Amino acid sequence: MSDTYTITPEIEAFIEECKGKEFSKSYLIAVLHKIQAKYGFLPNNLMEEVAIRMEIPTSKVYGVATFYHMFTLVPEGKHIVNICLGTACYVKGAEQVLNSLKNSLKIDLNQTTEDGLFTLKATRCIGTCGLAPVVMVDEKVYSNVTPDDVPVIIAKYKNK
Ligand code: FES
């Protein structure tokens, strides 16, 4: 499975460019950014390849990849389900909605369903407190969500 992810000629050229210079973390971050932009996450085999090609320890590559929140080491689901846990949503029952999401999707926060369809995330206020509690699926905002609404919302995306 991992060999479906390869260093593209564009990334290879960029690594070559960086290699000529004295190693700095910012070059490594730039390379990892390019890989994540291409695949949506950082595949293990590519982090090892980056280490070899940039002639730096693999541990250094993993260190940077795990330190910065913008990098993810696992592929995200096709749909990102974001629940707002800001104050207004929280007092209007966001925790119960979150529990319903966990039960419906059978995953915890920051996990992806086995079929790769959904990743569950939490966010802070998205600025629509009047509609609390709020759940976002990709770009679509669902307002006044109750725990019972959750299976209905999820079903829409399963059948897409
Ligand atoms: S607290 Fe959830 S939208 Fe503001």
Side-chain angles (χ1 to χ4, degrees), residues 84 86-89 125-129 132 134:
C84 176
T87 309
C89 287
C125 182
I126 60 166
T128 55
C129 306
V134 169

Side-chain angles (χ1 to χ4, degrees), residues 7-158:
I7 299 281
T8 62
E10 189 213 353
I11 296 170
E12 187 173 357
F14 188 69
I15 291 175
E16 283 307 308
E17 234 177 79
C18 295
K19 251 174 69 177
K21 301 166 182 149
E22 197 186 329
F23 173 76
S24 96
K25 202 158 58 172
S26 51
Y27 291 131
L28 175 55
I29 289 171
V31 169
L32 294 180
H33 263 304
K34 281 201 181 290
I35 293 173
Q36 184 156 295
K38 168 84 183 154
Y39 296 110
F41 77 112
L42 299 174
N44 276 328
N45 70 311
L46 294 195
M47 288 201 283
E48 278 157 27
E49 268 212 52
V50 165
I52 293 166
R53 287 171 191 244
M54 294 185 83
E55 297 167 6
I56 52 176
T58 311
S59 59
K60 202 163 215 162
V61 179
Y62 277 91
V64 167
T66 53
F67 181 79
Y68 293 97
H69 292 304
M70 68 253 190
F71 293 126
T72 173
L73 274 56
V74 289
E76 292 196 325
K78 185 174 170 201
H79 302 291
I80 307 297
V81 181
N82 246 311
I83 174 147
C84 176
L85 295 180
T87 309
C89 287
Y90 202 85
V91 297
K92 290 251 183 134
E95 194 176 6
Q96 289 82 348
V97 176
L98 172 59
N99 287 335
S100 183
L101 282 166
K102 287 179 181 174
N103 288 336
S104 291
L105 298 172
K106 298 183 176 55
I107 51 172
D108 220 321
L109 272 179
N110 301 316
Q111 291 183 344
T112 298
T113 53
E114 259 178 32
D115 58 9
L117 260 187
F118 300 100
T119 296
L120 179 58
K121 293 185 170 187
T123 182
R124 290 290 158 194
C125 182
I126 60 166
T128 55
C129 306
L131 308 173
V134 169
V135 171
M136 272 181 81
V137 182
D138 304 326
E139 302 303 313
K140 171 124 179 81
V141 177
Y142 293 90
S143 53
N144 303 307
V145 179
T146 67
D148 290 343
D149 293 335
V150 166
V152 182
I153 295 170
I154 296 302
K156 286 185 193 173
Y157 295 86
K158 278 191 176 162

